[in-house]
Amino acid sequence: MRDITHFIGGKHVAGTSGRFADGYQPMTGEVISRIPLASKAEVRAAVENALAAWPAWAATNPQRRARIMMKFVELVARDNDELADLLAREHGKTVADAKGDIQRGIEVVEFACGIPHLMKGEFTDSAGPGIDVYSMRQPLGVVAGITPFNFPAMIPMWKFAPAIACGNAFLLKPSERDPGVPLRLAELMIEAGLPAGILNVVNGDKEAVDAILDDPDIRAVGFVGSTPIAEYIYTRGCAAGKRVQCFGGAKNHMIIMPDADMSQAVDALVGAGYGSAGERCMAVSVAVPVGKGTADELMNRLVPRVESLKIGPSTDSSADYGPLVTRDALNRVRDYVEIGIKEGATLAVDGRNFKMQGYEDGFYMGGCLFDNVSKDMRIYKEEIFGPVLSVVRAEGYGEALSLANDHEYGNGVAIFTRDGDAARDFASKVQVGMIGVNVPIPVPLAYYTFGGWKRSGFGDLNQHGPDAVRFYTKTKTVTSRWPSGIKDGASFTMPLMH
Ligand code: NAD
């Protein structure tokens, strides 16, 4: 059993609050670690440490800061196998999937290596007689990130890499369910040359989060997690005068048009619906076949594919997916299947009784597939976050589009079709932040921005891409005039440039 620590000022620091959480290894169900839950005083100590380190970091030239990011990319590549193994053991996803989690995070660190270019200000020569105007972007100070369990490498990197490259000090509060990889990443940042105190990690639960939200020296908070917590953090953080961006839950639809390549659509659905046991914010959880013929063919092909999904321990390289993150998560997903049956949906594949031989205490669940789901059912309206796919049959394209538009979540969506006209119309009209055309999990590349609409995202700016630079910096505009441009005498009217 491993004792997890906090990471403050470049060193591991034991928790002193006396409160701890159990850390599980989902593939065996064993408790493998004891995770300290920080008190308000411990969060404050981390903030003070960051505050002391920040001015020198803000004054470090942007290219030097970027070089540390480049070195970090090398170190993560060096330790990739070890990180992926740790991630899979703490989270439950397969090692191959854990490598994808790390890779999509590293792509944002690579993007952050180019941030000196994006931080450049603007300049207007001779905006008036002898007057020049220029703008500059400056870091905010100490900023914080609160991250979910489901991408313990990618999302911390999405948060801290742009923030630090912009010259901020960063306080990370990772999920208390899988903090091992975020802590390793912080160690690697120090090994890459980051000064102590510029990336501190505090483990904890609501008490630590509230301490972050109330701390007057934290200038901005970025959050990723479920919608109720996203909304809470957004409201409380904004009320405290902070800059806040929060990304929440999802119910991602995949529309299958009658002209779609059905083999590709079915491959896409099983991968995006059941990969990582459905514990992805961009997982497809609703399939919407358009027309009875499309729906019947889809079901005929999907049922055997879902029945033959290969579930295995996280270390099994041939497994399609591994266990869920905790027993609570497993029970919650099972409860939703029960709810779906009671609501009258047709359970075409029931994976609830799946048992993993040799790993009987692990948190495994077979794939479940519901047909004839309707929009008034809870299994349609709520995020299940497990290996459960719902099929909602639509009569026409308009009905399919309305389903995606009327849903309270608006994170990701996909349309499968060969008709360019339909795809273009869909991309233009759908009220969702990230859209795939024949792409089931349209996670934008690092140099675009990631963010959902409606109740999947709170705040104006998205994650990574140019929005990250806007979020983690503030703009200052300087109007300057040198003596040769100054006419004598006071002016009492509104200053004009001519
Ligand atoms: P969660 O909301 O339970 O936890 C997220 C973070 O909030 C954790 O650090 C946790 O410690 C903290 N937290 C939990 N309860 C809190 C409370 N009452 N007060 C203050 N802080 C609290 O989410 P999770 O289960 O870790 O992650 C899964 C959720 O995250 C899903 O809803 C998924 O859709 C969402 N998610 C969204 C995105 C996105 O970009 N939109 C990406 C990944 C995950």
Side-chain angles (χ1 to χ4, degrees):
M1 173 122 123
R2 188 173 156 219
D3 255 324
I4 301 286
T5 57
H6 307 302
F7 189 79
I8 300 171
K11 292 195 199 82
H12 289 277
V13 176
T16 55
S17 70
R19 294 195 309 123
F20 294 90
D22 286 335
Y24 288 90
Q25 174 166 264
M27 70 175 170
T28 56
E30 289 166 274
V31 175
I32 54 167
S33 63
R34 200 169 75 127
I35 300 157
L37 302 174
S39 64
K40 192 173 176 182
E42 288 172 292
V43 171
R44 183 61 200 165
V47 174
E48 284 175 3
N49 181 280
L51 274 174
W54 175 64
W57 181 244
T60 301
N61 85 52
Q63 201 154 0
R64 254 173 212 266
R65 295 196 298 244
R67 247 177 241 139
I68 291 170
M69 297 293 158
M70 292 177 204
K71 183 68 192 168
F72 175 74
V73 172
E74 275 176 31
L75 297 179
V76 171
R78 181 195 70 189
D79 293 353
N80 196 31
D81 288 344
E82 172 219 320
L83 286 164
D85 185 72
L86 174 62
L87 199 160
R89 284 176 192 280
E90 285 194 349
H91 175 284
K93 64 178 76 175
T94 62
V95 171
D97 198 23
K99 288 191 171 168
D101 185 332
I102 296 165
Q103 177 58 26
R104 291 307 297 254
I106 276 298
E107 288 169 12
V108 171
V109 184
E110 288 166 345
F111 164 77
C113 296
I115 273 182
H117 170 68
L118 294 174
M119 280 190 77
K120 285 189 304 196
E122 294 166 316
F123 186 89
T124 304
D125 169 49
S126 298
I131 296 176
D132 302 325
V133 182
Y134 63 96
S135 66
M136 59 177 111
R137 287 190 174 278
Q138 294 190 323
L140 305 178
V142 179
V143 299
I146 300 157
T147 55
F149 82 85
N150 68 328
F151 283 99
M154 179 181 88
I155 295 179
M157 285 193 259
W158 283 12
K159 300 281 175 210
F160 74 66
I164 290 174
C166 286
N168 299 283
F170 196 88
L171 178 63
L172 174 66
K173 206 302 285 171
S175 169
E176 64 275 43
R177 281 178 262 175
D178 46 12
V181 169
L183 283 165
R184 278 291 294 134
L185 296 175
E187 286 174 354
L188 291 175
M189 283 292 285
I190 296 290
E191 190 182 338
L194 189 73
I198 299 303
L199 176 55
N200 288 339
V201 183
V202 173
N203 289 301
D205 57 2
K206 181 170 166 46
E207 185 172 337
V209 170
D210 287 348
I212 288 171
L213 295 174
D214 295 344
D215 194 297
D217 289 314
I218 293 179
R219 305 279 170 222
V221 177
F223 168 87
V224 179
S226 59
T227 287
I229 311 297
E231 190 166 30
Y232 166 73
I233 288 177
Y234 187 71
T235 309
R236 188 159 168 171
C238 289
K242 298 184 196 311
R243 196 177 275 193
V244 191
Q245 56 172 197
C246 295
F247 301 93
K251 198 81 183 177
N252 304 316
H253 294 50
M254 181 170 135
I255 317 295
I256 301 108
M257 296 293 285
D259 67 346
D261 181 316
M262 195 51 90
S263 304
Q264 283 176 6
V266 169
D267 281 346
L269 269 178
V270 289
Y274 299 93
S276 200
E279 290 175 323
R280 291 183 183 137
C281 68
M282 291 291 275
V284 171
S285 47
V286 179
V288 186
V290 172
K292 187 174 181 324
T294 315
D296 291 344
E297 191 188 346
L298 182 73
M299 285 306 294
N300 286 340
R301 292 194 190 212
L302 257 183
V303 168
R305 294 290 296 273
V306 177
E307 283 171 341
S308 59
L309 284 166
K310 184 162 188 306
I311 298 129
S314 315
T315 46
D316 176 356
S317 58
S318 66
D320 294 327
Y321 69 86
L324 280 95
V325 66
T326 55
R327 181 159 305 284
D328 281 353
L330 175 63
N331 289 339
R332 197 177 150 272
V333 177
R334 281 198 181 134
D335 287 349
Y336 267 113
V337 177
E338 198 57 43
I339 289 167
I341 297 167
K342 288 204 181 107
E343 286 178 315
T346 314
L347 186 59
V349 182
D350 184 357
R352 284 175 297 170
N353 293 323
F354 175 83
K355 288 266 174 297
M356 188 70 228
Q357 252 195 337
Y359 295 83
E360 282 74 12
D361 293 330
F363 312 136
Y364 299 91
M365 181 162 169
C368 293
L369 177 65
F370 276 114
D371 194 4
N372 300 310
V373 174
S374 59
K375 55 186 225 180
D376 52 314
M377 293 180 182
R378 277 185 64 195
I379 58 162
Y380 174 71
K381 291 194 277 196
E382 298 172 19
E383 184 181 43
I384 299 176
F385 223 54
V388 181
L389 180 66
S390 295
V391 175
V392 181
R393 295 168 174 243
E395 278 180 21
Y397 165 73
E399 188 188 340
L401 175 65
S402 299
L403 278 168
N405 281 349
D406 295 346
H407 204 284
E408 70 167 336
Y409 292 123
N411 210 42
V413 73
I415 184 165
F416 272 62
T417 181
R418 288 193 175 93
D419 181 343
D421 222 5
R424 186 173 183 280
D425 186 78
F426 184 75
S428 158
K429 292 185 180 151
V430 74
Q431 299 296 303
V432 173
M434 295 169 285
I435 298 143
V437 175
N438 300 316
V439 172
I441 304 185
V443 176
L445 291 169
Y447 42 93
Y448 286 84
T449 69
F450 180 110
W453 286 17
K454 298 184 279 186
R455 289 180 61 75
S456 295
F458 301 82
D460 298 326
L461 295 169
N462 281 348
Q463 310 189 80
H464 63 68
D467 270 10
V469 180
R470 294 182 193 113
F471 185 72
Y472 289 119
T473 58
K474 53 189 186 263
T475 309
K476 194 180 252 181
T477 310
V478 181
T479 306
S480 71
R481 183 165 60 178
W482 296 101
S484 61
I486 300 176
K487 288 196 209 117
D488 289 338
S491 167
F492 295 94
T493 57
M494 191 65 191
L496 300 173
M497 289 294 178
H498 50 82

